[in-house]
Amino acid sequence: MARSIPKKILIVDDSPDLCEVMAALFELHGYSSVCANDGGAALKLLHDGLRPALILLDWMMPEVDGAAFRRAQLADPELADIPVIVVSAAPVEALREGAPLVPSIVRKPVDVDLLFSLVAAHVR
């Protein structure tokens, strides 16, 4: 019986601890993951050929934040179709302002059940 290849998730968050915890959780659920510490690092990974099944994106990060990342992602036809879930503690007002860029939102602290149900809906 052939083993299935785990679906890869790109976790974009400036907290190394959160990245590590989320990566471990996803591994327990059969996913593999790659972490990037801001939107610029994530864009570099994507431009270098990474094609994750899903991107988990923090909204408030230094350097290239979630909004800047999403604008760049959506402007690139090679990357625009990769689904994104925003995982953020950003104020609701900030997320509402970015609403056209934010398809799905999970607030921090993360409701793990909600996160995994959204992940399952996006990653088939």
Side-chain angles (χ1 to χ4, degrees), residues 7-80:
K7 300 285 186 182
K8 189 168 300 257
I9 297 174
L10 174 57
I11 303 168
V12 186
D13 198 295
D14 59 327
S15 167
D17 292 340
L18 182 62
C19 245
E20 188 177 310
V21 167
M22 289 179 76
L25 275 173
F26 282 109
E27 187 175 319
L28 288 172
H29 285 83
Y31 298 94
S32 67
S33 61
V34 174
C35 289
N37 63 353
D38 72 15
L43 287 168
K44 180 170 179 359
L45 288 169
L46 294 168
H47 289 142
D48 286 348
L50 177 68
R51 289 299 178 267
L54 175 70
I55 298 169
L56 298 180
L57 179 66
D58 188 11
W59 203 246
M60 296 185 305
M61 296 178 286
E63 304 298 319
V64 180
D65 66 10
F69 171 86
R70 277 296 279 163
R71 283 191 292 275
Q73 180 203 8
L74 292 171
D76 186 331
E78 297 277 324
L79 308 176

Side-chain angles (χ1 to χ4, degrees), residues 72-96:
Q73 180 203 8
L74 292 171
D76 186 331
E78 297 277 324
L79 308 176
D81 289 339
I82 302 171
V84 171
I85 298 173
V86 170
V87 180
S88 183
V92 173
E93 299 77 29
L95 293 172
R96 279 196 193 122

